[in-house]
């Protein structure tokens, strides 16, 4: 398990809110649910119109999430990368708290 970033490139300010909502529904289809989400996640904004989705997951799950994101953000490049140092550190802690580890 480690922290990854799913970068969605070319998202302008007008698209940002709608794109975040689409991506959020990929990870959490039911907004108000009991218990933790399958994959701890959060958003940030990167450079030059990048929407950055942080996730804490296994390599296999990270690849699956990136593919699911690709399917909902057609027209935007989606790149999976290891998280930048210091970004999304809270996701590992969230996983530990929610999964008792």
């Amino acid at each position: 398990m480690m922290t990854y970033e799913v970068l969605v490139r070319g998202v302008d300010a007008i698209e940002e809110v709608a794109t975040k909502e689409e991506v959020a529904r990929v990870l959490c289809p039911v907004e108000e649910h009991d218990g933790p989400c399958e994959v701890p996640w959060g958003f940030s904004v990167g450079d030059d119109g990048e929407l950055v989705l942080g996730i804490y997951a296994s390599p296999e799950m990270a690849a699956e999430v990136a593919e699911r994101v690709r399917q909902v953000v057609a027209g935007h490049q989606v790149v999976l990368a290891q998280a930048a140092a210091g970004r999304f550190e809270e996701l590992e802690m969230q996983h530990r708290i929610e999964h008792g580890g």
Side-chain angles (χ1 to χ4, degrees):
M1 299 282 284
M2 63 185 289
T3 306
Y4 293 91
E5 293 179 354
V6 179
L7 308 170
V8 181
R9 297 199 167 135
V11 178
D12 64 32
I14 295 170
E15 297 176 294
E16 185 180 335
V17 172
T19 303
K20 278 183 174 180
E21 184 62 27
E22 290 174 336
V23 171
R25 295 296 65 86
V26 164
L27 291 163
C28 187
V30 179
E31 195 170 353
E32 300 296 326
H33 60 83
D34 293 331
C37 290
E38 179 182 15
V39 175
W41 59 279
F43 284 113
S44 182
V45 177
D47 300 328
D48 300 322
E50 281 184 337
L51 179 61
V52 183
L53 169 66
I55 58 173
Y56 185 74
S58 67
E60 297 80 16
M61 180 57 80
E64 180 182 319
V65 167
E67 185 55 38
R68 289 168 33 200
V69 169
R70 272 187 199 95
Q71 293 173 11
V72 299
V73 297
H76 295 285
Q77 182 183 18
V78 175
V79 177
L80 177 63
Q82 186 173 348
R87 193 151 47 175
F88 298 113
E89 291 176 334
E90 70 279 4
L91 298 178
E92 181 177 356
M93 179 63 72
Q94 178 183 343
H95 182 269
R96 285 188 201 156
I97 291 168
E98 294 174 343
H99 294 79

